[in-house]
Amino acid sequence: MTAETLGKAGEADEAGGTGAPDADAGRRRRSPWLGFAMRRLAGLGAVLATLVTVTFLIVQLIPGDPARVLAGPDAGPEQIAEARERLGLGEPLVQRFAAYVGGLFRGDLGTSFTTGGSR
Protein backbone atom coordinates (compact mmCIF):
# COMPACT_ATOMS: atom_id res chain seq x y z
CA MET A 1 0.00 0.00 0.00
CA THR A 2 1.15 3.47 -0.69
CA ALA A 3 1.13 6.33 1.75
CA GLU A 4 -1.67 7.97 -0.22
CA THR A 5 -3.89 4.89 0.09
CA LEU A 6 -3.12 4.58 3.81
CA GLY A 7 -3.99 8.23 4.29
CA LYS A 8 -7.39 7.80 2.67
CA ALA A 9 -8.14 4.72 4.76
CA GLY A 10 -7.07 6.59 7.88
CA GLU A 11 -9.38 9.47 6.99
CA ALA A 12 -12.27 7.05 6.68
CA ASP A 13 -11.36 5.51 10.07
CA GLU A 14 -11.21 8.93 11.69
CA ALA A 15 -14.67 9.76 10.27
CA GLY A 16 -16.08 6.73 12.09
CA GLY A 17 -16.18 4.35 9.15
CA THR A 18 -14.01 1.47 8.07
CA GLY A 19 -13.57 2.63 4.54
CA ALA A 20 -16.04 -0.10 3.47
CA PRO A 21 -19.41 0.87 2.08
CA ASP A 22 -22.08 1.18 4.73
CA ALA A 23 -24.38 -1.88 4.76
CA ASP A 24 -27.47 0.25 5.45
CA ALA A 25 -26.68 2.83 2.78
CA GLY A 26 -28.37 0.73 0.07
CA ARG A 27 -31.56 0.22 2.06
CA ARG A 28 -34.21 2.88 2.11
CA ARG A 29 -35.72 3.93 5.36
CA ARG A 30 -39.49 3.58 5.55
CA SER A 31 -41.41 6.76 5.86
CA PRO A 32 -43.22 7.17 9.18
CA TRP A 33 -46.24 8.21 7.13
CA LEU A 34 -46.37 4.77 5.51
CA GLY A 35 -46.70 3.09 8.88
CA PHE A 36 -49.34 5.61 9.91
CA ALA A 37 -51.31 5.05 6.71
CA MET A 38 -51.12 1.26 7.07
CA ARG A 39 -52.42 1.45 10.66
CA ARG A 40 -55.26 3.72 9.60
CA LEU A 41 -56.22 1.41 6.71
CA ALA A 42 -56.24 -1.59 9.04
CA GLY A 43 -58.45 0.33 11.44
CA LEU A 44 -60.75 1.31 8.58
CA GLY A 45 -61.08 -2.33 7.56
CA ALA A 46 -62.01 -3.32 11.11
CA VAL A 47 -64.60 -0.54 11.37
CA LEU A 48 -66.16 -1.45 8.00
CA ALA A 49 -66.34 -5.15 8.89
CA THR A 50 -68.03 -4.28 12.18
CA LEU A 51 -70.43 -1.87 10.48
CA VAL A 52 -71.45 -4.41 7.83
CA THR A 53 -72.00 -7.12 10.46
CA VAL A 54 -74.02 -4.88 12.78
CA THR A 55 -76.24 -3.52 10.00
CA PHE A 56 -76.91 -7.06 8.76
CA LEU A 57 -77.84 -8.25 12.24
CA ILE A 58 -80.09 -5.24 12.87
CA VAL A 59 -82.04 -5.94 9.69
CA GLN A 60 -82.32 -9.64 10.59
CA LEU A 61 -83.54 -8.93 14.12
CA ILE A 62 -86.39 -6.59 13.11
CA PRO A 63 -89.49 -7.67 15.03
CA GLY A 64 -92.22 -9.25 12.94
CA ASP A 65 -92.13 -11.19 9.70
CA PRO A 66 -90.94 -9.15 6.70
CA ALA A 67 -92.56 -11.67 4.33
CA ARG A 68 -95.95 -11.13 5.96
CA VAL A 69 -95.56 -7.34 5.70
CA LEU A 70 -94.45 -7.54 2.07
CA ALA A 71 -97.23 -9.96 1.09
CA GLY A 72 -99.88 -7.69 2.60
CA PRO A 73 -102.53 -8.06 5.27
CA ASP A 74 -104.84 -10.21 3.13
CA ALA A 75 -102.14 -12.67 2.02
CA GLY A 76 -102.62 -16.37 2.49
CA PRO A 77 -99.97 -18.85 3.64
CA GLU A 78 -98.92 -19.62 0.05
CA GLN A 79 -98.30 -15.96 -0.73
CA ILE A 80 -96.34 -15.49 2.50
CA ALA A 81 -94.24 -18.59 1.70
CA GLU A 82 -93.57 -17.21 -1.79
CA ALA A 83 -92.52 -13.84 -0.32
CA ARG A 84 -90.19 -15.62 2.15
CA GLU A 85 -88.63 -17.51 -0.75
CA ARG A 86 -88.24 -14.34 -2.83
CA LEU A 87 -86.56 -12.55 0.09
CA GLY A 88 -84.30 -15.52 0.81
CA LEU A 89 -85.53 -15.80 4.40
CA GLY A 90 -85.51 -19.60 4.27
CA GLU A 91 -81.72 -19.70 3.87
CA PRO A 92 -79.35 -20.16 6.84
CA LEU A 93 -78.09 -16.96 8.46
CA VAL A 94 -74.50 -17.50 7.31
CA GLN A 95 -75.62 -17.94 3.72
CA ARG A 96 -77.74 -14.77 3.88
CA PHE A 97 -74.76 -12.86 5.32
CA ALA A 98 -72.51 -14.07 2.49
CA ALA A 99 -75.13 -12.98 -0.06
CA TYR A 100 -75.44 -9.62 1.72
CA VAL A 101 -71.70 -8.96 1.63
CA GLY A 102 -71.48 -10.10 -1.99
CA GLY A 103 -74.33 -7.75 -2.88
CA LEU A 104 -72.56 -4.85 -1.14
CA PHE A 105 -69.48 -5.40 -3.30
CA ARG A 106 -71.70 -5.27 -6.41
CA GLY A 107 -73.59 -2.20 -5.16
CA ASP A 108 -76.79 -4.21 -4.61
CA LEU A 109 -78.30 -3.33 -1.25
CA GLY A 110 -80.95 -6.04 -1.50
CA THR A 111 -84.72 -6.11 -1.57
CA SER A 112 -86.69 -3.64 0.50
CA PHE A 113 -88.84 -5.35 3.11
CA THR A 114 -91.46 -2.62 2.84
CA THR A 115 -91.78 -1.96 -0.89
CA GLY A 116 -90.48 -5.22 -2.33
CA GLY A 117 -88.27 -3.35 -4.78
CA SER A 118 -84.49 -3.33 -5.00
CA ARG A 119 -82.08 -0.55 -5.73
Side-chain angles (χ1 to χ4, degrees):
M1 273 193 187
T2 64
E4 186 177 314
T5 310
L6 285 175
K8 287 183 180 177
E11 289 172 10
D13 286 341
E14 289 172 8
T18 60
D22 189 9
D24 291 333
R27 289 192 326 195
R28 289 176 152 184
R29 293 191 54 85
R30 255 186 8 169
S31 168
W33 286 104
L34 180 63
F36 172 76
M38 296 304 288
R39 286 190 306 274
R40 296 295 287 197
L41 284 175
L44 176 66
V47 167
L48 286 177
T50 302
L51 180 68
V52 166
T53 303
V54 167
T55 56
F56 173 78
L57 290 175
I58 287 173
V59 169
Q60 298 304 310
L61 297 175
I62 292 174
D65 186 8
R68 184 177 301 271
V69 172
L70 185 62
D74 299 328
E78 301 86 22
Q79 292 164 326
I80 294 172
E82 191 268 320
R84 288 184 69 74
E85 179 68 29
R86 193 174 58 233
L87 292 173
L89 297 174
E91 302 292 330
L93 191 65
V94 173
Q95 204 168 9
R96 286 186 286 178
F97 182 70
Y100 176 71
V101 171
L104 288 178
F105 281 115
R106 291 188 307 273
D108 179 12
L109 300 180
T111 303
S112 169
F113 287 163
T114 57
T115 65
S118 66
R119 292 201 59 141

